């Protein structure tokens, strides 16, 4: 720790921070930005006037970095040094260095717009360009005007893109912390691999057998690949002749790993033993693993993309950018000269890779962010004129406005409503927040709380490879979910109801651990759901100023098996995620977005009637594009609940919603016409790939102009 590059610049950093409200700090990954900057400022007294906040785009990083800092300072985590991530707050009255996700800081600013408790705000990992960090940058810009003398803002970045950030903050000073990187030799493959898992495996074993000691870091795209490669590596290592090479241990590293597994990666390696660390891009910049000498770069990353015109998500495996490739290579030269094996040719690096990753703001749904910005009670913030480092497209802003209008969060003039304000207080996506508010009116809040909580852990409930959304899972797509026979099936009403029933059964066992195990449910996930539910319930209590009596209502359960109130509330919350069954088909067409054909995801428990027909109307939690467009987590709703939504859609005037900003080129999208004649005329299904390509081209051309 003593020789971390950043520590040699302590005086310089303090001087510049003293003299300027905003400072950009650029330093190689591993130079000590995340762990040391806060301590440097602590040493020089910045915590006397407030707390030092350090934001992280990733939950894992907030937890792991705060743990490390607590350790270095010799204090207990959660006391002087703590962290806060969604649904988990480990801070106390004593906390003076607080690591938190960028999303949590955004939420805090709702109740305290000037963030008065903080004397310093460090936006860490700004190069990651997460949606929330991008929005925080805009907020900081106005906050430093308001709190010029009492707030210091530091923005850290691992790449030279920091220059752009400096421009954004009126040419604020940029401190470059030269890293002590050792040279890294870069080796390219002659051609693109057929299977990057197989190629990585081969390369890794090759290094292990032929190269001197030093850990190997392998970049994979996601948890599934990681699990596959880990077990293939373990097999292969077992089969090597005893004594032919040193011992080896294989460690996975990804965002959804339980904390005790993560610790293994950061604890010192055993003597005379080579570590294989198989990681997602989390190891690119946000977590540093010491001891790495060899890097294997598959050249791919898994990226979630959102298409604002169809409301469809896809989890695509895409090529990394050159910035990412260089970051990956850099991991090999931290302790001594290293080697980076790129599993792709130099020509691909030069000609095919984008310069930089497309910022999240340009590939996400913005409904939550737009609602957030609208709910900031600030006269000088107009969302559509909001100062973004890279502006999102008009299309995605309009998509967000439309969704918010359909769930009554904004009125037809685009002004936030009372409902919208309440929604913003809930740490949930707008659809679920809206559902809870409606459920509060319809006496089914306890059930809705359970559904929201279960949805937030749903991906981690089932052991083994998680429910898949990637393109490699075509086979799994086909299989129906085999609910163990004892688990309820949602009575045919759909997945939300099933999640509710599962939780209620568990509740009746008094939250028995054995029950989870018997039913093949992850204990950790269920316990987390219970905790999330409790927190959401507390927030709802606060919102209703204590007038809710959730306990009492909880006893008065909906005895009717049709869950009518709950489904009706879900229909209100998911108003923009409504789909109508196609005549003569068991396929659906979406109504809230550009009309397109979708199917119910095979994992759904939604049931057909006696004639083999699925319900006429359903709402869905998300649309994902895997082998084909699917609705995931689906709930049957009734026609009379869908009708008002359809009327609202007919009246929808996006131009008015957005305050008329768009004397736009795209006049045809201003008024959305969902007249019935389209029922049998769905038109071509939107091609997500070409849209993403188009988004990339827009991004590139914008970059080019700058
Ligand atoms: O933020 P930046 O990439 O500049 O570096 P950092 O995260 O502050 O890491 C500095 C050093 O702290 C790394 O080289 C790691 O050795 C160590 N560290 C650790 O051991 N465990 C962590 N959870 C975080 C950092
Ligand atoms: Mg860092």
């Amino acid at each position: 720790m003593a020789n971390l590059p950043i520590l040699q610049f302590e005086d310089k950093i303090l001087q510049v921070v003293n003299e300027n409200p905003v400072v950009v700090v650029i330093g190689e990954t591993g130079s000590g930005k995340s762990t040391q900057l806060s301590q440097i400022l602590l040493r020089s007294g910045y915590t006397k006037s407030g707390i030092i906040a350090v934001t992280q785009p990733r939950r894992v990083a907030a937890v792991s970095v705060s743990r490390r800092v607590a350790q270095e300072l010799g204090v207990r985590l959660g006391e002087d040094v703590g962290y806060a991530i969604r649904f988990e707050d480990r801070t106390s009255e004593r906390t003076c260095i607080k690591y938190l996700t960028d999303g949590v800081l955004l939420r805090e600013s709702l109740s305290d717009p000037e963030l008065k408790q903080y004397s310093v705000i460090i936006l860490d990992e700004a190069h990651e360009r997460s949606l929330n960090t991008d929005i925080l940058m805009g907020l900081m810009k106005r906050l430093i005007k308001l709190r010029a003398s009492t707030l210091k803002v530091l923005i850290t970045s691992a790449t030279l893109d920091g220059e752009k950030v400096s421009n954004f903050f009126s040419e604020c000073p940029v401190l470059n912390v030269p890293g002590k990187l050792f040279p890294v030799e870069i080796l390219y493959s002659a051609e693109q691999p057929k299977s990057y898992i197989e190629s990585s495996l081969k390369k890794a074993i090759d290094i292990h057998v032929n190269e001197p000691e030093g850990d190997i870091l392998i970049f994979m795209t996601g948890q599934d690949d990681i699990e596959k490669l880990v077990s293939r590596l373990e097999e292969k290592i077992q089969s090597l002749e005893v004594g032919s090479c040193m011992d080896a241990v294989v460690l996975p590293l990804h965002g959804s790993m339980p904390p005790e597994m993560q610790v293994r990666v950061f604890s010192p390696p055993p003597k005379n033993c080579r570590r294989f660390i198989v990681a997602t891009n989390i190891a690119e910049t946000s977590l540093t693993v010491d001891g790495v000498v060899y890097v294997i770069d598959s050249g791919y990353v898994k990226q979630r993309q959102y298409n604002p015109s169809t409301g469809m998500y896809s989890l695509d495996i895409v090529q990394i950018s050159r910035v990412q490739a260089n970051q990956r290579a850099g991991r090999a030269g931290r302790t001594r000269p290293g080697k980076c094996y790129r599993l792709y040719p130099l020509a691909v690096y030069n000609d095919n890779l984008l310069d930089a990753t497309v910022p999240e703001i340009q590939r996400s749904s913005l409904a939550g962010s737009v609602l957030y910005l609208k709910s900031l009670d600030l006269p000088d913030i107009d969302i559509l004129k909001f100062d973004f480092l890279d502006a999102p497209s008009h299309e995605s802003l309009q998509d967000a406005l439309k969704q918010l209008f359909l769930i009554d969060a904004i009125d037809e003039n685009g002004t936030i409503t009372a409902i919208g304000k309440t929604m913003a207080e809930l740490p949930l996506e707008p659809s679920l927040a809206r559902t809870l508010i409606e459920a509060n009116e319809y006496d089914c809040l306890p059930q809705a709380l359970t559904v929201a909580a279960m949805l937030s852990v749903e991906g981690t409930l089932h052991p083994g490879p998680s429910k898949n959304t990637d393109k490699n899972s075509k086979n799994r797509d086909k299989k129906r979910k085999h609910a163990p026979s004892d688990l309820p099936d949602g009575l045919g009403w759909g997945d939300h109801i099933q999640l509710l029933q599962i939780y209620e059964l568990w509740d009746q066992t008094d939250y028995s651990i054995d029950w989870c195990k018997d039913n093949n449910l992850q204990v950790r996930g269920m316990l987390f759901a219970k905790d999330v539910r409790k927190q959401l319930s507390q927030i709802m209590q606060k919102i209703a100023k204590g007038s809710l009596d959730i306990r009492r209502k909880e006893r008065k359960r909906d005895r009717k098996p049709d869950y009518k109130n709950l489904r009706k509330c879900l229909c209100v919350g998911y108003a923009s995620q409504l789909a109508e069954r196609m005549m003569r088909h068991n396929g659906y067409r979406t109504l809230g977005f550009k009309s397109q054909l979708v199917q119910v995801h095979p994992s759904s428990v939604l049931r057909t009637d006696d004639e083999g027909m699925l319900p006429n109307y359903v709402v869905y939690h998300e649309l994902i594009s895997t082998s084909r467009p699917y609705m995931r987590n689906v709930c049957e709703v009734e026609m009379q609940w869908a009708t008002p939504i359809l009327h609202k859609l007919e009246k929808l005037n996006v131009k008015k919603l957005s305050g008329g900003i768009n004397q736009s080129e795209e006049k045809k999208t201003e008024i959305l016409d969902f007249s019935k004649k389209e029922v049998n005329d769905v038109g071509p299904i939107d091609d997500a790939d070409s849209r993403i390509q188009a988004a990339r081209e827009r991004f590139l051309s914008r970059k080019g102009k700058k």
Side-chain angles (χ1 to χ4, degrees):
M1 171 191 131
N3 53 11
L4 282 176
I6 209 162
L7 294 174
Q8 292 150 29
F9 293 84
E10 179 155 356
D11 293 341
K12 179 74 186 161
I13 291 169
L14 285 171
Q15 186 206 330
V16 179
V17 170
N18 249 327
E19 291 166 2
N20 297 278
V22 187
V23 177
V24 176
V25 180
I26 299 173
E28 264 302 333
T29 303
S31 57
K33 300 179 301 298
S34 302
T35 54
Q36 305 306 316
L37 270 178
S38 59
Q39 297 184 62
I40 290 174
L41 296 166
L42 169 82
R43 283 198 283 276
S44 101
Y46 275 97
T47 52
K48 290 197 188 106
S49 53
I51 299 170
I52 298 175
V54 190
T55 66
Q56 295 290 324
R58 299 167 191 267
R59 296 163 60 92
V60 201
V63 177
S64 128
V65 176
S66 61
R67 183 180 294 133
R68 168 77 181 190
V69 172
Q71 214 177 46
E72 288 182 8
L73 289 173
V75 297
R76 295 235 310 261
L77 183 60
E79 293 186 355
D80 300 64
V81 178
Y83 69 84
I85 59 183
R86 188 167 80 139
F87 298 128
E88 196 181 337
D89 186 349
R90 276 192 74 182
T91 60
S92 64
E93 306 262 279
R94 293 178 57 117
T95 302
C96 57
I97 297 181
K98 176 168 167 185
Y99 285 83
L100 70 181
T101 50
D102 43 18
V104 168
L105 187 63
L106 280 179
R107 192 152 300 286
E108 285 185 358
S109 83
L110 281 178
S111 50
D112 177 13
E114 293 192 18
L115 294 167
K116 288 200 199 69
Q117 58 166 323
Y118 300 112
S119 55
V120 179
I121 295 174
I122 303 177
L123 301 186
D124 200 8
E125 313 286 324
H127 57 265
E128 286 227 0
R129 304 297 313 276
S130 77
L131 173 57
N132 289 334
T133 296
D134 268 19
I135 289 178
L136 278 172
M137 280 202 255
L139 283 187
M140 291 301 128
K141 203 165 167 173
R142 59 168 292 285
L143 203 54
I144 45 168
K145 285 186 200 133
L146 293 172
R147 290 188 51 195
S149 56
T150 59
L151 176 71
K152 297 292 182 187
V153 174
L154 279 78
I155 292 155
T156 78
S157 170
T159 66
L160 283 178
D161 237 20
E163 299 293 344
K164 179 172 172 178
V165 180
S166 161
N167 295 342
F168 183 71
F169 284 101
S170 342
E171 314 299 329
C172 71
V174 179
L175 277 175
N176 272 293
V177 179
K180 271 197 312 197
L181 270 194
F182 291 89
V184 175
E185 186 185 349
I186 300 198
L187 301 124
Y188 291 91
S189 297
E191 51 192 61
Q192 290 278 83
K194 286 201 187 64
S195 151
Y196 53 78
I197 297 186
E198 288 306 313
S199 301
S200 305
L201 176 71
K202 199 165 159 286
K203 186 59 76 189
I205 296 296
D206 202 41
I207 296 170
H208 183 49
V209 175
N210 296 310
E211 296 280 341
E213 63 177 11
D215 295 341
I216 307 173
L217 174 61
I218 309 168
F219 286 99
M220 281 287 116
T221 61
Q223 191 178 343
D224 283 4
D225 288 353
I226 290 177
E227 279 163 11
K228 255 182 245 159
L229 182 56
V230 164
S231 73
R232 298 276 279 118
L233 271 169
E234 279 169 346
E235 252 169 55
K236 207 62 183 209
I237 290 166
Q238 290 275 312
S239 73
L240 292 173
E241 207 178 305
V242 183
S244 68
C245 44
M246 72 179 93
D247 283 349
V249 47
V250 187
L251 301 168
L253 178 61
H254 55 78
S256 42
M257 224 160 69
E260 65 272 11
M261 291 281 284
Q262 283 163 25
V263 171
R264 284 171 58 200
V265 176
F266 294 109
S267 45
K271 272 232 153 59
N272 286 326
C273 176
R274 194 198 297 275
R275 300 192 303 167
F276 292 76
I277 297 135
V278 190
T280 55
N281 64 337
I282 201 166
E284 237 168 62
T285 62
S286 47
L287 297 178
T288 299
V289 186
D290 286 331
V292 173
V293 177
Y294 308 97
V295 164
I296 300 175
D297 173 14
S298 64
Y300 291 99
V301 66
K302 199 183 267 184
Q303 219 170 59
R304 194 170 154 91
Q305 327 244 14
Y306 177 76
N307 178 338
S309 88
T310 58
M312 179 116 63
Y313 285 97
S314 57
L315 198 56
D316 298 325
I317 292 175
V318 299
Q319 265 175 337
I320 56 172
S321 63
R322 269 195 289 276
V323 169
Q324 285 180 287
N326 296 341
Q327 278 295 332
R328 290 181 175 191
R331 308 298 87 233
R334 296 246 316 125
T335 38
R336 60 187 162 95
K339 288 184 181 176
C340 172
Y341 300 84
R342 290 186 173 151
L343 303 180
Y344 45 92
L346 175 61
V348 168
Y349 174 83
N350 283 332
D351 307 335
N352 297 21
L353 302 192
L354 293 178
D355 279 345
T357 318
V358 180
E360 198 184 356
I361 200 164
Q362 292 173 342
R363 51 183 171 85
S364 305
S365 166
L366 298 181
S369 302
V370 170
L371 177 63
Y372 167 82
L373 288 171
K374 290 222 172 228
S375 67
L376 289 177
D377 220 0
L378 304 170
D380 57 336
I381 281 198
D382 172 353
I383 154 75
L384 299 159
K385 296 194 197 113
F386 189 73
D387 203 352
F388 293 107
L389 192 55
D390 283 301
S393 67
H394 269 162
E395 191 185 19
S396 64
L397 282 173
Q398 287 180 342
D399 156 63
L401 290 166
K402 200 182 77 183
Q403 288 188 49
L404 293 175
F405 173 67
L406 286 175
I407 55 179
D408 319 304
I410 57 175
D411 65 18
E412 59 199 13
N413 301 313
T415 312
I416 190 161
T417 61
I419 288 177
K421 284 193 176 150
T422 313
M423 281 166 56
E425 290 180 51
L426 287 156
L428 289 172
E429 51 209 288
S431 55
L432 291 175
R434 180 70 184 93
T435 303
L436 290 193
I437 294 168
E438 193 70 4
N440 189 28
E441 302 289 311
Y442 280 88
D443 252 20
C444 56
L445 183 59
Q447 292 180 337
L449 285 169
T450 302
V451 171
M454 286 292 276
L455 278 170
S456 72
V457 302
E458 183 256 344
T460 62
L461 281 187
H462 301 281
S466 51
K467 271 198 194 172
N468 255 286
T469 48
D470 66 89
K471 278 189 173 151
N472 296 339
S473 60
K474 277 182 193 152
N475 294 334
R476 253 177 256 136
D477 276 355
K478 298 220 171 70
K479 281 188 214 151
R480 292 256 159 195
K481 178 166 67 191
H482 292 293
S485 51
D486 298 350
L487 277 184
D489 63 357
L491 295 169
W493 298 112
D495 307 293
H496 298 78
I497 306 301
Q498 186 199 33
L499 289 171
L500 170 65
Q501 290 178 310
I502 291 176
Y503 189 92
E504 287 187 338
L505 273 185
W506 185 48
D507 176 299
Q508 283 161 29
T509 68
D510 211 11
Y511 310 111
S512 149
I513 304 283
D514 288 340
W515 183 88
C516 297
K517 289 182 180 156
D518 290 347
N519 286 287
N520 215 18
L521 293 165
Q522 292 277 5
V523 178
R524 183 193 302 276
M526 291 300 289
L527 290 172
F528 193 57
K530 182 179 168 214
D531 190 41
V532 169
R533 188 182 184 286
K534 186 170 144 209
Q535 291 187 44
L536 289 174
S537 156
Q538 283 163 350
I539 300 170
M540 285 302 289
Q541 288 278 4
K542 232 190 285 167
I543 289 172
K545 308 263 174 343
S547 67
L548 289 176
D549 186 354
I550 292 176
R551 284 189 64 90
R552 180 183 56 78
K553 283 181 188 166
E554 217 150 11
R555 265 177 260 126
K556 198 182 97 188
R557 285 224 173 80
D558 179 3
R559 292 273 163 218
K560 279 180 245 148
D562 64 1
Y563 297 95
K564 207 162 182 167
N565 280 355
L566 177 62
R567 289 189 298 119
K568 193 168 172 184
C569 296
L570 285 168
C571 186
V572 172
Y574 287 119
S576 61
Q577 287 131 282
L578 176 66
E580 178 181 52
R581 188 166 59 77
M582 303 285 293
M583 309 279 185
R584 299 183 301 276
H585 296 276
N586 258 347
Y588 285 82
R589 66 170 192 126
T590 56
L591 298 170
F593 292 90
K594 188 170 149 190
S595 193
Q596 55 178 342
L597 262 176
V598 293
Q599 304 279 326
V600 177
H601 195 274
S603 71
S604 176
V605 293
L606 187 75
R607 223 188 281 149
T608 52
D609 63 15
D610 296 342
E611 282 150 35
M613 284 305 197
L614 284 166
N616 286 332
Y617 289 92
V618 293
V619 288
Y620 56 86
H621 184 65
E622 64 176 358
L623 269 193
I624 51 161
S625 163
T626 52
S627 45
R628 61 212 293 194
Y630 282 123
M631 302 181 283
R632 224 168 68 84
N633 287 321
V634 182
C635 176
E636 170 164 0
V637 296
E638 292 181 11
M639 196 175 104
Q640 72 258 35
W641 310 333
T643 313
I645 299 172
L646 295 176
H647 286 320
K648 223 172 162 182
L649 273 166
E650 271 165 35
K651 287 196 312 208
L652 191 68
N653 183 333
V654 176
K655 190 171 168 188
K656 208 170 162 200
L657 278 184
S658 57
I661 40 111
N662 294 302
Q663 282 72 20
S664 105
E665 328 79 67
E666 293 178 281
K667 286 234 157 52
K668 61 181 190 309
T669 63
E670 285 169 7
I671 311 268
L672 300 173
D673 182 12
F674 285 93
S675 52
K676 281 283 173 191
K677 68 179 187 310
E678 280 180 63
V679 170
N680 290 314
D681 174 23
V682 175
I685 292 176
D686 200 51
D687 175 359
D689 288 346
S690 63
R691 290 195 154 265
I692 288 160
Q693 187 57 36
R696 247 182 234 146
E697 276 159 18
R698 281 198 300 276
F699 169 68
L700 286 176
S701 78
R702 258 197 307 280
K703 258 183 80 81
K705 272 184 216 136
K706 285 193 179 146

